[in-house]
Amino acid sequence: MSFTEMWEALLPIGRDAESGGYHRFAWTPAELECRDWFRDEALRRDLAVEGDANGNLFAWWYPEGARGPAVLTGSHLDSVPGGGAYDGPLGIVSAFAAIDLLRERGARPGRPIGVAAFAEEEGARFGVACLGSRLLTGAIGPERARGLRDRDGLPLASVLAANGLDPERIGEDPGLLSRIGCFIELHVEQGRALREDRPVGVASAIVPHGRWRFGFAGEGNHAGTTLLADRRDPMLPFAEMVQAARRAAVRHGTLATVGRVEVVPNGVNAIPSAVTAWLDARGPADESVRATVAEVREEARRAAREHGVTVDLAEESYTPVVGFDTALRDRVAGVLGGAPVLPTGAGHDAGILAARMPTAMLFVRNPTGVSHAPAEHAEPDDCLAGVEALAAVLDDVAAG
Ligand code: GLV
Ligand code: MN
Ligand code: MN
């Protein structure tokens, strides 16, 4: 299967015919179909397929005589709601295609090469981004993870059990980690950083980022019979919190987004009883991100008091600044003939694994500059340039 054939096989899975956006949430039928595709592609290449206790998938190539810790590549198969086709799958399709190239060219890597599909990278189902790699590395405890619930209230533990995984066995896996020497993730670039430049870049850092859940609770009541003075409407402090997030981001030079909100009961003619909103905040430094969130929290509390509403706040995930291993980054950029080196505002499994091993990332140019939306794109020639680049990097790093 060529890159194009693999890409076309994945394209229809989980795609909304109207919007063109993808809905591939962890362990839902669309994502499970992508996992079946992963296993088929691995077996087609005689790679050894292994699933770990945390729901991550691996396909291993053990070239004859290869020894020592593996060079791992790959990415994730899940998507955000209505996401693009490239975020995640590009890294996995490119990994299989790069292995094909190395084999065609008679490469004999001195170290094993693995392809990973990490579970729930987007956190779109259970709220915690990079859940699979966080569990593998111990960045989230198994107890907390088992209690995570999806939008329908289903706990992670039951979803794992329904998919043949033992929820009691999730958590850090030092044995598996010791078999991996480094991780190199190829990913579509998610902004405008590579637009006018070369088709492939190398990551320098991931900026600090996190997610916070604001729960506003008031009193449900009739929209037509409840006087304004009698209302305890959680929609009002929620609306102020959204505006506060924008103001705080401007003040602190950060980014703040409220992209998800749940309203109970969500009826046109009912004052809501509860509004839950999620704040995503990112910025150049931990201090500015923390200051942004603190300011939004204060505004939310003030507005809630004013409207007779309560508000509680929970941090769902936080990733401090990640500086990728400079030796590996320079080696990768050197193999690619001095590829541009750039930071990213997007989170990745490579950022989680960076706490445990040298990691690096390759970015493939995205002409639209759009991501987490259907317009996310990479030109076919740029994708093939990405495959060539990944093959060259794997050839170099796995040499021995
Ligand atoms: C993942 O793509 C994120 O940055 O949220
Ligand atoms: Mn993403
Ligand atoms: Mn991604």
Side-chain angles (χ1 to χ4, degrees), residues 76 80 87 121-122 187 190 347 372:
H76 60 97
V80 297
D87 180 354
E121 191 270 353
E122 300 288 5
H187 205 279
Q190 293 175 278
H372 285 183

Side-chain angles (χ1 to χ4, degrees), residues 70-224:
V71 177
L72 186 67
T73 183
S75 191
H76 60 97
L77 293 166
D78 64 307
S79 77
V80 297
Y86 295 80
D87 180 354
L90 183 64
I92 294 178
V93 172
S94 300
F96 286 130
I99 287 179
D100 292 347
L101 266 190
L102 290 175
R103 286 173 163 176
E104 272 163 42
R105 293 173 183 170
R108 302 283 296 267
R111 291 163 60 177
I113 293 181
V115 182
F118 285 108
E120 177 73 334
E121 191 270 353
E122 300 288 5
R125 181 159 183 193
F126 290 101
V128 176
C130 301
L131 184 60
S133 56
R134 280 187 205 271
L135 278 166
L136 168 65
T137 56
I140 183 171
E143 204 52 50
R144 181 176 164 223
R146 275 190 284 271
L148 295 172
R149 288 175 186 273
D150 71 7
R151 291 171 197 233
D152 299 324
L154 273 178
L156 176 71
S158 15
V159 172
L160 292 176
N163 284 280
L165 294 162
D166 180 352
E168 292 308 314
R169 288 189 52 232
I170 62 172
E172 188 178 349
D173 189 341
L176 176 53
L177 288 169
S178 71
R179 289 161 49 204
I180 307 168
C182 64
F183 178 54
I184 299 171
E185 179 170 3
L186 178 146
H187 205 279
V188 67
E189 212 275 310
Q190 293 175 278
R192 296 167 187 277
L194 272 175
R195 280 179 88 191
E196 309 299 336
D197 212 325
R198 309 235 308 255
V200 179
V202 178
S204 56
I206 299 180
V207 307
H209 59 285
R211 298 176 181 192
W212 292 264
R213 188 181 65 237
F214 287 70
F216 298 91
E219 183 181 50
N221 213 328
H222 194 293

Side-chain angles (χ1 to χ4, degrees), residues 126-128 144 148 209-216 241 260 275-281 290 293-294 296-297 300-301 310-318:
F126 290 101
V128 176
R144 181 176 164 223
L148 295 172
H209 59 285
R211 298 176 181 192
W212 292 264
R213 188 181 65 237
F214 287 70
F216 298 91
M241 170 248 174
R260 180 179 170 197
V275 174
T276 307
W278 282 261
L279 172 71
D280 178 308
R290 293 289 181 193
V293 177
V296 180
R297 184 187 59 217
R301 283 186 177 153
T310 62
V311 58
D312 61 42
L313 173 60
E315 180 173 296
E316 290 199 328
S317 63
Y318 187 74

